[in-house]
Amino acid sequence: QVQLVESGGGLVQAGGSLRLSCAASGLPFSAYGMGWFRQVPGKEREFVAASNWSGSTNYADSVRGRFTISRDNTKHTGYLQMNSLKPEDTAVYYCAARPGRLASDASNKYWGQGTQVTASS
């Protein structure tokens, strides 16, 4: 049974930082792309960042330069370091995983339950 469990969300003032974690189980983590999406009520889930099995990464334009994605294959865990948070970053953040390369849409195979991130102005 595959599980993705996010942690690290919370409330922070604008300009602050948070680090999200995504602990994976039940899949060969090093062979999977993993990454992060976010969603606010009434809007579609949007791509944030991906770390692919090859080591390549990519980011949404809105977070590039502020957020950093990383992974520790020995711990089956992915991370999202979020710096210089803005109120518009407020959303539920979801971890996703897919064999090989993460898709930048909702077609990824596995999803976590989400963690709330709130950046107050």
Side-chain angles (χ1 to χ4, degrees):
Q1 180 183 359
V2 174
Q3 279 193 311
L4 301 176
V5 180
E6 302 99 335
S7 61
L11 173 65
V12 66
Q13 285 192 332
S17 298
L18 284 174
R19 188 175 85 152
L20 304 183
S21 298
C22 173
S25 59
L27 53 78
F29 187 72
S30 63
Y32 272 58
M34 63 81 54
W36 299 89
F37 288 72
R38 65 188 182 186
Q39 190 170 24
V40 298
K43 292 191 175 181
E44 291 188 356
R45 195 169 295 187
E46 67 170 358
F47 168 77
V48 174
S51 169
N52 299 304
W53 74 274
S54 63
S56 64
T57 59
N58 54 301
Y59 296 90
D61 289 343
S62 58
V63 307
R64 188 175 290 112
R66 299 187 298 122
F67 291 10
T68 303
I69 191 169
S70 61
R71 61 194 294 163
D72 185 337
N73 288 336
T74 66
K75 295 182 179 179
H76 286 211
T77 300
Y79 305 96
L80 185 68
Q81 178 67 42
M82 305 185 294
N83 298 330
S84 302
L85 281 160
K86 303 176 181 180
E88 51 264 43
D89 294 317
T90 296
V92 177
Y93 282 70
Y94 295 90
C95 177
R98 185 181 188 224
R101 187 176 182 86
L102 196 76
S104 60
D105 59 21
S107 66
N108 294 296
K109 189 170 184 180
Y110 300 112
W111 294 87
Q113 82 288 351
T115 186
Q116 176 71 45
V117 170
T118 303
S120 64
S121 58

